[in-house]
Amino acid sequence: MTTATLLFELSLTRLFSVVMYYHFAFLAISLAMFGLGASGLWLYFRRRRHSLENLSRDLTLLTAGFAFTAVIAIVTALSLPISINYSSGNVIRLVVVYLACVLPFFFSGLTVSLILFLGAKAISRLYFMDLIGAATGALLTVPVLNWVGAINGLLIAAALAALAAFLGGEQTRGQLRWLGRAIAAAAIGLVIINLTSPVLKVRYFKGQEKQLVEFQKWNALSCITVQGVEGEQTAKAMDIDADARTYILRDPFRLFGLELIKTEIARRWISHLPNVLRPDGDVLIIGPGGGIDVIFSLAWGARSVDAVEINPIITDDVMRGEYAEFSGRLYSHPAVRVHTAEGRAFIARSNQQYDLIQLTLVDTWAATAAGAFSLSESYLYTVEAFREYLRHLNRDGIVAITRWLSAKPKEGLRLMAVALEAAGTPAVQRGGNIVIIGSNSRAGGESEMMTMLLKREAFTAAEIAAIDNRLNEVGGRFVFRPDGAGDPAFVQLASAADRERFYEGYEFNIRPTTDNQPFFFATAKGTELAQIMAFEYESRKNNLGLFNLYLAGVLSVILVLVFLVAPIIFSVDGRSVLKEPGSLRALGYFIAIGLGFILIEVAVMQKLILYLGHPIYSLTVVLSTILICAGLGSMATTNYVPETGGKRRRVIFSGILVYTLALLVGLGPVTQATFGWPDAARMTLTVLLLAPLGFLMGQPFPLQLKWVEKNHSSFIPWVWSLNGAASVLGSVAAVALAMTYGFNTVIVIGAVCYLAAFGLGATAAIKRG
């Protein structure tokens, strides 16, 4: 059952990233985790209706409920259009979708909490099976999403729950046995039907129905669609999760020729200008998409082009597959070498030096399977990344990064701030090595593109003149020149004697992003949250994650207080809990370890994305390692006796604290020293590094639950409920804290939570004794 739950949860982030925006996936998962926690509250008030004799019957009904409501949730999410706006109609549709998605998690949580409640004497083994099931779900998610996509992944999760209903039903008699069989047959049949002739498919993409769609394919990274452009026969539009768009031109060198590419086609993309400055060079393009930048590089005579694309659907299925002929076999050109990899990881492991390194609007707005707790972080736009780019340039090479420029600069100004911070010598730290140009189409508007050119050394007067000539030819403009001319905000940033004061006083958050705080696109300050919906479209889209993060936090607190905390305070049963000696401390213990576990897990997963080279690898390796080893840790507590286990408790909690802090200090140097290792070696090292931590973190829950079972067995549903509530709050807190203080601080706070749990657990035991 836990396998089905995790597969459903992670597949849901993929679906929501397509039908809505990845930000909503974060909020939905938080509410789903609340559904898991709320199940414990339900069981507490109905615990006298359940017994071991009726366990098979109850489990059959609950797992069947998961399967049934999972299908309802899928249909609901696919049927209601959700846009980026917070209109009343949109909010109502959001609420309906979220409520529908809470239900499967409620049934799943009720299944697990019932098993723990009735089988608490075997808690070490049961918790082991729970964690191994979750780890299996983590391991299955990526291959399932790559094989059948998000919708069918959700249906497979429902089918797994239906299979559990079948197995439970076989232990009963009469109608329940037939119910289990019917549910299993229906779920498996629906999976088969939808695989062969889809009846459940995406109708609304970001609130709109797509037209002229010719190609669509899912994987664990995103959903790629290719569609015709109305009234245009020379291009196709390729969308990543129905939003980030790149264009495929029809056989450009045959249809247009070099002259038109350099004049008419180039006029539409300001990102071509660095090719004018560095023709005939070696070029690295990160995120080439449909190949516009590849075309420009070849048109200006590049000797070689390394095109690094993270999504294999784009490279293999589209550009070298279905649309190979349409694109004039662009990705099979003799000078083009295509690499399917994450750009930052590729360049860090490369020994190649380049004349031009180029990133043009590289963002996907996609919640990967690993992104259930992410907020649009990007390791391509950090200080460390820029230093890596500069190290891979030839002496006179250029880094060219194209982003959006709004009337009140946000991410464009942050891009410059990152570049200034990454500057290697005092001579260029005032912007002498930076040129920023704009497209001049709707100058200052939300659709204007800007390209920042960055060198190791200052730009020469001849280079500035060449840029000026080209801008005059194509209708562009200078946004910032090394001589101090340009838009006021950029000039003020470059000349600021105290940049920290400039960042503090600026209207938006433009502080340089680092690998420890890689949230490049979140430019709204805390005081600006209410104004996010008034931002230009691109800025609003970029910052909506921040808005939803705070909304998720507020909703989570309200839901936890109303449905989980209030019943303890105001109900008769709840007040009886508070009267028990040591009970409140025992419940606080489970909140603390729930917070500690999720904070450390999320932070470590995010920190290792760059090292493992892919968000999906981070999900699979980190999550499955921690869960499997935590399960083994649970099994290790089988013979633990609460009355005589004080020394072991101290050893376990001391081990968690010491190892967490050692990992915090040593993870960076170790990963840096082994960054060039092959994929398999880095994954193996990651497993070895995290295995002891997972083993230790898997023991506090069963350790204290043994004490609860012996002294307050009726508390077990409360324990499950509050532990789930802690996960809700912790998942939101992990990202909020990381944005403000960095992932390292999140790990420290997670360790402090375990320290608090140790104190609470020991005190509860003493009070009872």
Side-chain angles (χ1 to χ4, degrees):
M1 187 63 182
T2 51
T3 299
T5 303
L6 197 65
L7 177 59
F8 190 86
E9 178 183 337
L10 296 177
S11 297
L12 201 60
T13 67
R14 283 273 66 254
L15 179 65
F16 279 15
S17 185
V18 174
V19 299
M20 296 186 271
Y21 285 85
Y22 77 96
H23 323 89
F24 294 111
F26 180 90
L27 182 57
I29 293 304
S30 290
L31 290 174
M33 294 178 72
F34 168 77
L36 289 171
S39 63
L41 173 66
W42 175 273
L43 177 60
Y44 179 79
F45 287 110
R46 299 174 64 88
R47 64 189 183 279
R48 295 180 182 88
R49 300 188 181 188
H50 299 282
S51 64
L52 279 172
E53 292 76 18
N54 296 322
L55 183 60
S56 294
R57 178 203 67 185
D58 293 342
L59 294 182
T60 299
L61 292 173
L62 292 175
T63 50
F66 178 99
F68 181 71
T69 56
V71 175
I72 291 177
I74 298 167
V75 172
T76 304
L78 293 174
S79 302
L80 299 179
I82 307 293
S83 69
I84 199 172
N85 299 310
Y86 274 92
S87 63
S88 57
N90 207 44
V91 169
I92 291 172
R93 290 189 291 272
L94 272 172
V95 171
V96 171
V97 171
Y98 291 160
L99 290 176
C101 291
V102 164
L103 292 175
F105 294 99
F106 175 80
F107 282 107
S108 170
L110 199 52
T111 301
V112 176
S113 57
L114 181 61
I115 293 172
L116 294 177
F117 175 57
L118 296 178
K121 292 185 183 301
I123 182 60
S124 296
R125 182 168 58 87
L126 292 175
Y127 194 52
F128 164 78
M129 296 174 69
D130 172 60
L131 293 171
I132 294 300
T136 304
L139 291 170
L140 283 177
T141 296
V142 173
V144 166
L145 291 178
N146 286 336
W147 175 44
V148 297
I151 296 174
N152 290 312
L154 292 165
L155 290 176
I156 289 174
L160 288 173
L163 181 60
F166 166 76
L167 295 174
E170 293 303 299
Q171 307 301 314
T172 64
R173 296 179 179 179
Q175 294 181 345
L176 277 182
R177 177 177 292 184
W178 288 104
L179 173 65
R181 293 173 179 176
I183 288 287
I188 294 171
L190 184 56
V191 171
I192 294 172
I193 291 171
N194 214 61
L195 283 172
T196 54
S197 180
V199 292
L200 294 176
K201 53 187 177 182
V202 177
R203 178 182 175 187
Y204 298 105
F205 296 81
K206 307 291 191 290
Q208 302 293 324
E209 290 191 73
K210 273 190 175 291
Q211 306 295 326
L212 307 175
V213 174
E214 303 172 354
F215 172 92
Q216 179 176 307
K217 188 171 181 178
W218 296 76
N219 63 9
L221 278 171
S222 55
C223 175
I224 303 297
T225 57
V226 180
Q227 63 193 70
V229 180
E230 189 172 356
E232 178 60 72
Q233 300 300 315
T234 62
K236 302 289 184 182
M238 176 163 53
D239 289 344
I240 303 164
D241 272 8
D243 187 32
R245 173 163 289 189
T246 180
Y247 288 94
I248 309 169
L249 297 187
R250 182 192 293 272
D251 200 356
F253 293 102
R254 182 185 63 83
L255 191 62
F256 299 107
L258 286 178
E259 189 59 33
L260 281 180
I261 289 174
K262 290 183 175 183
T263 54
E264 296 306 313
I265 303 298
R267 188 182 297 273
R268 306 176 195 175
W269 280 277
I270 198 68
S271 61
H272 79 277
L273 197 143
N275 297 108
V276 178
L277 293 180
R278 296 294 180 271
D280 310 322
D282 295 311
V283 180
L284 170 64
I285 300 173
I286 296 176
I292 295 294
D293 288 335
V294 176
I295 293 170
F296 292 145
S297 293
L298 295 176
W300 268 274
R303 284 190 301 272
S304 68
V305 178
D306 282 324
V308 182
E309 173 59 56
I310 193 172
N311 198 319
I313 295 179
I314 294 176
T315 56
D316 300 334
D317 297 276
V318 176
M319 297 303 294
R320 294 191 292 199
E322 189 113 355
Y323 292 86
E325 292 297 331
F326 183 88
S327 67
R329 297 197 171 274
L330 181 64
Y331 277 25
S332 299
H333 190 283
V336 178
R337 297 186 296 260
V338 179
H339 309 269
T340 303
E342 193 278 326
R344 176 79 182 278
F346 173 87
I347 194 171
R349 298 187 182 103
S350 171
N351 295 320
Q352 179 78 32
Q353 298 294 112
Y354 297 97
D355 298 294
L356 173 60
I357 297 175
Q358 197 163 14
L359 298 85
T360 299
L361 301 178
V362 182
D363 50 60
T364 65
W365 311 121
T368 68
F373 307 111
S374 68
L375 191 79
S376 182
E377 71 275 10
S378 175
Y379 291 96
L380 295 173
Y381 302 111
T382 65
V383 171
E384 294 89 342
F386 277 40
R387 288 172 178 162
E388 196 74 63
Y389 304 149
L390 290 171
R391 280 196 294 269
H392 282 78
L393 288 178
N394 289 323
R395 181 177 177 82
D396 206 30
I398 294 174
V399 177
I401 301 179
T402 299
R403 295 296 321 158
W404 296 105
L405 180 64
S406 52
K408 292 182 178 180
K410 303 176 185 68
E411 65 178 62
L413 204 57
R414 170 169 268 177
L415 196 69
M416 184 181 193
V418 173
L420 289 168
E421 185 69 22
T425 60
V428 295
Q429 286 181 350
R430 296 292 178 191
N433 62 332
I434 296 174
V435 170
I436 302 176
I437 54 177
S439 64
N440 211 28
S441 60
R442 296 175 64 184
E446 64 181 61
S447 63
E448 184 181 10
M449 286 191 294
M450 55 157 273
T451 296
M452 183 182 74
L453 309 179
L454 175 66
K455 291 177 58 182
R456 287 179 176 177
E457 301 175 354
F459 279 89
T460 66
E463 288 172 329
I464 298 299
I467 295 172
D468 195 15
N469 290 336
R470 184 61 183 175
L471 291 176
N472 289 331
E473 292 173 4
V474 298
R477 69 186 183 98
F478 277 103
V479 175
F480 176 80
R481 293 169 55 116
D483 60 10
D487 291 5
F490 292 89
V491 173
Q492 290 167 16
L493 173 59
S495 60
D498 185 348
R499 290 203 188 109
E500 186 58 34
R501 174 179 286 186
F502 181 85
Y503 300 146
E504 186 66 31
Y506 195 68
E507 185 176 355
F508 304 105
N509 180 12
I510 58 161
R511 280 188 171 85
T513 44
T514 65
D515 286 349
N516 189 42
Q517 292 175 276
F519 303 95
F520 176 82
F521 301 105
T523 55
K525 286 187 174 179
T527 56
E528 294 296 323
L529 288 177
Q531 300 180 20
I532 287 177
M533 300 312 294
F535 283 0
E536 306 94 333
Y537 176 75
E538 289 295 333
S539 295
R540 182 167 77 250
K541 181 172 60 177
N542 296 358
N543 286 277
L544 192 61
L546 184 62
F547 185 93
N548 279 342
L549 173 68
Y550 282 89
L551 180 61
V554 171
L555 285 177
S556 297
V557 170
I558 292 173
L559 291 172
V560 167
L561 290 175
V562 172
F563 291 102
L564 301 180
V565 176
I568 297 180
I569 299 174
F570 297 109
S571 71
V572 174
D573 282 347
R575 286 195 295 270
S576 69
V577 169
L578 298 179
K579 293 177 182 178
E580 292 285 342
S583 60
L584 196 58
R585 293 179 178 85
L587 295 176
Y589 171 96
F590 289 100
I591 293 175
I593 63 171
L595 285 171
F597 194 100
I598 196 73
L599 288 172
I600 293 173
E601 180 185 73
V602 170
V604 170
M605 186 184 301
Q606 295 294 333
K607 283 177 70 67
L608 285 170
I609 285 176
L610 181 61
Y611 178 66
L612 294 174
H614 206 292
I616 297 304
Y617 296 158
S618 180
L619 168 78
T620 305
V621 176
V622 175
L623 189 56
S624 60
T625 297
I626 289 178
L627 290 175
I628 289 172
C629 293
L632 294 173
S634 177
M635 282 295 288
T637 66
T638 300
N639 298 319
Y640 172 80
V641 179
E643 290 79 6
T644 60
K647 181 178 180 180
R648 180 169 180 177
R649 180 191 296 270
R650 288 192 294 273
V651 169
I652 289 170
F653 277 94
S654 297
I656 291 173
L657 292 172
V658 171
Y659 198 85
T660 300
L661 296 178
L663 202 63
L664 180 67
V665 174
L667 187 62
V670 169
T671 55
Q672 187 67 32
T674 59
F675 206 76
W677 286 12
D679 290 348
R682 282 180 284 109
M683 290 181 187
T684 301
L685 179 60
T686 299
V687 171
L688 294 175
L689 286 172
L690 298 183
L693 180 63
F695 183 79
L696 292 168
M697 287 169 59
Q699 299 186 50
F701 187 90
L703 284 180
Q704 190 72 6
L705 202 64
K706 285 175 180 285
W707 182 86
V708 171
E709 189 276 331
K710 186 176 181 65
N711 297 289
H712 306 285
S713 61
S714 63
F715 288 6
I716 291 176
W718 280 115
V719 164
W720 177 255
S721 180
L722 292 174
N723 192 255
S727 296
V728 174
L729 297 176
S731 63
V732 177
V735 180
L737 290 168
M739 292 185 69
T740 307
Y741 304 107
F743 287 118
N744 289 338
T745 302
V746 175
I747 294 175
V748 171
I749 295 173
V752 170
C753 288
Y754 274 101
L755 181 62
F758 172 71
L760 289 168
T763 305
I766 292 171
K767 288 285 185 181
R768 185 66 181 181

